[in-house]
């Protein structure tokens, strides 16, 4: 399967977004779809159990260099997504991406430009990006 280009996805979203043309609708749909992503991840822990969350305070040695801090951080996730949870999360992420892209379209912003600028910022700032 060939990778999809940002411009192609933007065009597809533009063609198929019918009901939620208002900026207010798009903003609320984007927030709701983000909540659905969060819920799908949560269900992989609470309903399925394929993931476990083991969170604790991050501890760094006093003499750790800034460039080494990433080595001491954790995602707090144990386990791996089962196929069902993976598919559910991908589906919810896809809807979120759809509404994000629709927002780009409504505002006349290229999704590719957003990605390029963010990539440039992250690569320029490197570890100092702190995101």
């Amino acid at each position: 399967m060939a990778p999809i280009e940002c411009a192609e996805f933007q065009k597809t979203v533009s063609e198929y977004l019918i009901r939620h043309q208002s900026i207010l609708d798009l903003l609320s749909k984007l927030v709701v779809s983000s909540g659905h992503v969060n819920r799908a991840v949560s269900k992989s822990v609470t309903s399925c159990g394929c993931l476990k969350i083991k969170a604790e305070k991050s501890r760094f040695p006093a003499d750790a260099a800034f460039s080494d801090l990433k080595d001491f951080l954790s995602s707090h996730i144990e386990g791996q997504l089962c196929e069902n949870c993976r598919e559910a999360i991908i589906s919810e992420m896809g809807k979120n991406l759809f509404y994000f892209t629709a927002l780009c379209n409504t505002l006349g912003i290229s999704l590719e430009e957003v990605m390029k600028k963010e990539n440039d910022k992250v690569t320029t700032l490197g570890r100092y990006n702190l995101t």
Side-chain angles (χ1 to χ4, degrees):
M1 182 176 201
I4 187 166
E5 299 290 329
C6 289
E8 180 183 353
F9 186 65
Q10 262 191 284
K11 183 176 184 239
T12 300
V13 169
S14 177
E15 290 175 9
Y16 291 100
L17 181 71
I18 309 240
R19 290 183 35 211
H20 306 289
Q21 294 292 323
S22 165
I23 188 77
L24 298 175
D25 285 344
L26 286 175
L27 290 171
S28 64
K29 290 299 281 184
L30 185 59
V31 169
V32 168
S33 67
S34 291
H36 284 245
V37 172
N38 291 341
R39 182 68 183 132
V41 172
S42 296
K43 286 180 83 170
S44 70
V45 175
T46 60
S47 295
C48 177
C50 61
L51 293 183
K52 290 181 177 41
I53 297 175
K54 183 180 177 189
E56 57 190 19
K57 181 180 178 180
S58 298
R59 302 195 187 280
F60 307 101
D63 61 344
F66 182 75
S67 60
D68 296 329
L69 292 182
K70 187 174 181 180
D71 297 334
F72 299 100
L73 297 174
S74 168
S75 68
H76 301 132
I77 294 175
E78 292 181 352
Q80 289 189 325
L81 289 171
C82 69
E83 193 58 34
N84 289 338
C85 290
R86 179 180 172 79
E87 287 303 315
I89 292 169
I90 287 172
S91 175
E92 297 301 345
M93 286 178 163
K95 292 172 193 168
N96 187 257
L97 183 58
F98 180 90
Y99 288 114
F100 181 82
T101 303
L103 182 61
C104 287
N105 287 347
T106 298
L107 298 172
I109 295 172
S110 159
L111 178 60
E112 185 171 4
E113 179 183 0
V114 172
M115 292 175 65
K116 181 180 180 344
K117 286 188 179 216
E118 186 63 17
N119 186 66
D120 291 348
K121 182 180 86 174
V122 170
T123 56
T124 299
L125 295 175
R127 292 179 185 241
Y128 300 100
N129 188 39
L130 298 177
T131 59

